[in-house]
């Protein structure tokens, strides 16, 4: 579940692919009126890296992906499956 940090509007969605994370980042960047370079400056990476994330790049460093989402005010809420009671997931 992804939750926008702006508490007067909360949007939740399931994310299953790198492409969906990229689409989320692009949508939020554009909603905020930010350029690729402005986000890159906030995150401390290149404009090309942000473009790669938005394009659904699958071989990107996870820590940088998380830092980018955080810079855009996006929070991740990950949930593990509930086990059947025997300790196995």
């Amino acid at each position: 579940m992804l939750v926008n940090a702006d508490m007067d509007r909360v949007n939740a969605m399931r994310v299953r692919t790198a492409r969906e994370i990229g689409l989320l980042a692009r949508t939020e960047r554009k909603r905020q009126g930010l350029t690729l370079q402005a986000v890159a400056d906030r995150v401390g990476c290149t404009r090309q890296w942000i473009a790669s994330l938005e394009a659904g790049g699958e071989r990107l460093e996870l820590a940088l992906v998380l830092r980018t989402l955080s810079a855009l005010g996006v929070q991740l809420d990950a949930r593990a499956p509930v086990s059947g009671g025997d300790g196995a997931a």
Side-chain angles (χ1 to χ4, degrees), residues 57-72:
E58 295 183 3
R59 296 192 181 268
L60 300 174
E61 181 182 340
L62 179 59
L64 203 49
V65 172
L66 296 175
R67 196 161 71 217
T68 302
L69 294 177
S70 179
L72 292 169

Side-chain angles (χ1 to χ4, degrees), residues 17-31:
T17 66
R19 178 71 186 126
E20 289 172 343
I21 289 176
L23 181 59
L24 171 70
R26 170 179 274 157
T27 299
E28 190 58 26
R29 176 181 62 80
K30 288 187 173 189
R31 187 190 71 75

Side-chain angles (χ1 to χ4, degrees), residues 34-54:
L34 298 170
T35 64
L36 289 167
Q37 189 62 55
V39 175
D41 290 344
R42 285 184 182 184
V43 174
C45 65
T46 66
R47 181 189 63 75
Q48 292 84 357
W49 191 93
I50 298 296
S52 181
L53 170 65
E54 290 185 358

Side-chain angles (χ1 to χ4, degrees), residues 1-2 75-81:
M1 175 188 289
L2 295 165
Q75 296 175 336
L76 291 178
D77 179 21
R79 299 173 192 227

